[in-house]
Amino acid sequence: MSTETDGFPPVIAQEIYDGSHAKEYVAPAGGATECAPSGARRCVAADVDHHCAADAPGGVHALPRAAPHERTSARRGWRNGHRQRHFTTRVGSLELRVPRDRAGLFQPALFARYERSEQAFLAALVEMYVQGVSTRKVTRVVETLCGVSVSASAVSAVVKKLDAEVTAWRTRDLGGEAYPHLVLDAQYEQVRREGQVRSTAMLWAIGIRADGYREHLGSWLGASESLESWTMVFEDLVRRGLRGVRYAVSDEHQGLVLALRRFFPEAAHQRCQVHYLRNALSRVSARGAQEQLLAALRDVWAAPSRVAAEGRLAQLVAAVRKRVPPLASWLEETGPATLEFFALAAPIQRRLASTNSIELDHAELRRRTRVIRIFPNEASLLRLGTALAMERNEVWSVRRYFNPKETILAVTQGRLRLRRSA
């Protein structure tokens, strides 16, 4: 029979096989724990002896051990006291005094067999956090299921292990691949920073490749959707290899539009029709007038061509000017900004006329942040938001958003026109 068992050093395995100390290593059936502490301590003690002793060619029993304080050329280490270790097993919790060596290299083989389970347990903690369970609720779940207490600070420490993966994803090279279409938006969350609870913008950018697949290109935080914030976003994307942008859809934020014009001057900018409707309806109070305005704007956008849409918009402005002159002036000035989607091929116009494709991500983040309410710092918001974006990319990687043939832009006069913002 082999003397290699469950990761124990051969010297310990041989003692277990011989039966000389078997009762100290294994708790009896029924879950009694009287023998477990002494067995575990003997396992660890023999393990450190094995670590410090020299290797020998004569097998397990020929393994020489240096006597205490004996200095030989074959010795590989020296003991250096103990440290306390709380060890939870299926038969109860143990308090062990784990030996240390001077070089700090000794790791008990007794614990190695449990490391995989521990990693799975830590992964479960992280998954609960990503799914929106607060750190304090995680502690209650663990205590109920496992019978052990895990503090909220300990859960936070575990979750921070996501940071390396999150950073690698946020700084990944985009490979110089063309992303003809961009969907840009932001979501505001409450974050404790600068000693106060402040509204902080989570900035999103979704890129759609020519082959029809889409992905989150990154995640960023900003105090607001200012020129400085979006400049930071586009600088990062260009540095990582973003190119070929010909069309972008977003809400009407002056800072975003100016930054887009600076980095991608040839790209057309479509003002999100959903946001535009909200802005338009807020300018009239009567319910009947709101319904008429809603129907009229939808009729403009349902036109078969941009020329026809511009004609319908002009008729709407003329009709409204008689009753609400300020609204008419606003529609005349801002309406053309919502017609850039006509530059796209007909099958994909409706999908990229608004930022609806990113609204599901907003909803998922809100569902999770509803539990948290106020993030303790910016890093925690960035960590959660990025983890969700990474999950979405995994889902999108197996299904195209567009048929590649549909992503061919219907370019008028050889190029798309970037509109001038109001």
Side-chain angles (χ1 to χ4, degrees):
M1 180 180 293
S2 172
T3 57
E4 301 283 346
T5 59
D6 290 340
F8 290 114
V11 63
I12 304 176
Q14 184 66 44
E15 291 181 354
I16 295 175
Y17 175 60
D18 290 343
S20 56
H21 299 287
K23 65 179 181 180
E24 297 184 10
Y25 294 114
V26 183
T33 61
E34 288 80 1
C35 317
S38 61
R41 294 189 189 101
R42 182 168 179 79
C43 283
V44 175
D47 197 3
V48 73
D49 286 342
H50 174 77
H51 173 79
C52 294
D55 290 323
V60 173
H61 293 293
L63 182 68
R65 286 183 170 83
H69 309 294
E70 180 184 1
R71 299 183 180 274
T72 70
S73 60
R75 178 185 283 275
R76 292 185 299 176
W78 292 265
R79 287 174 176 263
N80 188 32
H82 298 78
R83 60 184 173 86
Q84 296 296 124
R85 172 76 183 262
H86 182 78
F87 188 42
T88 302
T89 71
R90 289 174 294 176
V91 295
S93 296
L94 309 178
E95 290 293 338
L96 301 179
R97 296 175 68 239
V98 180
R100 296 184 300 186
D101 68 316
R102 290 184 184 179
L105 301 177
F106 172 64
Q107 293 294 333
L110 175 65
F111 300 143
R113 62 189 299 193
Y114 293 96
E115 287 180 355
R116 185 174 300 170
S117 296
E118 181 181 0
Q119 292 302 317
F121 174 68
L122 296 180
L125 294 184
V126 172
E127 181 64 20
M128 281 191 282
Y129 172 79
V130 172
Q131 292 301 324
V133 182
S134 69
T135 54
R136 297 189 183 278
K137 286 185 178 180
V138 169
T139 63
R140 292 198 291 269
V141 171
V142 171
E143 187 169 0
T144 300
L145 295 180
C146 305
V148 295
S149 297
V150 180
S151 66
S153 60
V155 175
S156 297
V158 170
V159 170
K160 286 181 180 178
K161 295 183 178 181
L162 278 172
D163 288 347
E165 185 178 356
V166 164
T167 300
W169 183 85
R170 295 182 64 241
T171 57
R172 72 192 188 282
D173 184 16
L174 298 178
E177 189 162 2
Y179 290 84
H181 314 92
L182 292 182
V183 181
L184 308 168
D185 205 356
Q187 181 175 351
Y188 286 85
E189 297 294 339
Q190 297 299 309
V191 178
R192 194 176 300 279
R193 56 186 175 87
E194 301 172 9
Q196 299 180 7
V197 176
R198 298 179 180 273
S199 181
T200 302
M202 185 89 188
L203 306 174
W204 306 97
I206 293 178
I208 306 174
R209 303 195 302 260
D211 60 6
Y213 288 96
R214 56 178 169 164
E215 63 176 295
H216 278 279
L217 301 180
S219 55
W220 305 263
L221 296 184
S224 64
E225 295 186 73
S226 61
L227 173 61
E228 292 75 15
S229 295
W230 283 108
T231 295
M232 169 193 67
V233 171
F234 292 135
E235 283 179 344
D236 179 54
L237 290 174
V238 171
R239 181 172 58 253
R240 289 163 48 205
L242 177 64
R243 65 178 182 83
V245 178
R246 303 173 66 184
Y247 180 94
V249 56
S250 73
D251 193 6
E252 179 70 9
H253 287 284
Q254 189 71 12
L256 190 159
V257 175
L258 291 176
L260 182 68
R261 183 184 303 162
R262 177 185 301 176
F263 286 90
F264 305 105
E266 299 299 318
H269 178 246
Q270 164 72 24
R271 181 168 180 173
C272 173
Q273 293 178 354
V274 174
H275 288 90
Y276 188 82
L277 276 177
R278 295 172 186 165
N279 296 337
L281 297 180
S282 67
R283 294 174 178 271
V284 292
S285 302
R287 182 63 177 271
Q290 288 181 340
E291 293 177 353
Q292 291 177 3
L293 180 59
L294 176 62
L297 285 173
R298 287 177 173 172
D299 180 64
V300 171
W301 297 329
S305 66
R306 176 158 187 156
V307 174
E310 289 174 343
R312 295 182 185 184
L313 179 62
Q315 294 176 3
L316 173 60
V317 170
V320 172
R321 195 180 302 279
K322 300 176 182 179
R323 294 175 295 173
V324 191
L327 175 60
S329 299
W330 181 80
L331 290 172
E332 185 176 27
E333 182 179 7
T334 61
T338 66
L339 305 181
E340 293 296 329
F341 72 98
F342 282 107
L344 300 172
I348 65 174
Q349 288 179 356
R350 291 188 61 183
R351 290 190 178 186
L352 287 178
S354 70
T355 60
N356 276 355
S357 61
I358 206 172
E359 289 300 321
L360 179 59
D361 299 277
H362 291 343
E364 284 296 304
L365 183 58
R366 289 191 187 100
R367 182 175 68 83
R368 291 160 170 80
T369 58
R370 193 177 299 119
V371 178
I372 301 172
R373 294 186 297 179
I374 299 175
F375 286 88
N377 49 55
E378 291 182 320
S380 59
L381 171 58
L382 187 61
R383 185 183 304 122
L384 180 58
T386 304
L388 294 178
M390 294 167 67
E391 284 186 357
R392 297 295 292 168
N393 279 5
E394 291 178 1
V395 174
W396 291 343
S397 65
V398 297
R399 182 178 180 182
R400 282 189 174 91
Y401 189 53
F402 294 149
N403 184 313
K405 296 180 180 179
E406 296 175 351
T407 60
I408 301 175
L409 293 171
V411 180
T412 303
Q413 297 179 350
R415 62 187 295 181
L416 289 170
R417 298 176 291 107
L418 177 69
R419 65 176 178 79
R420 297 294 176 180
S421 60

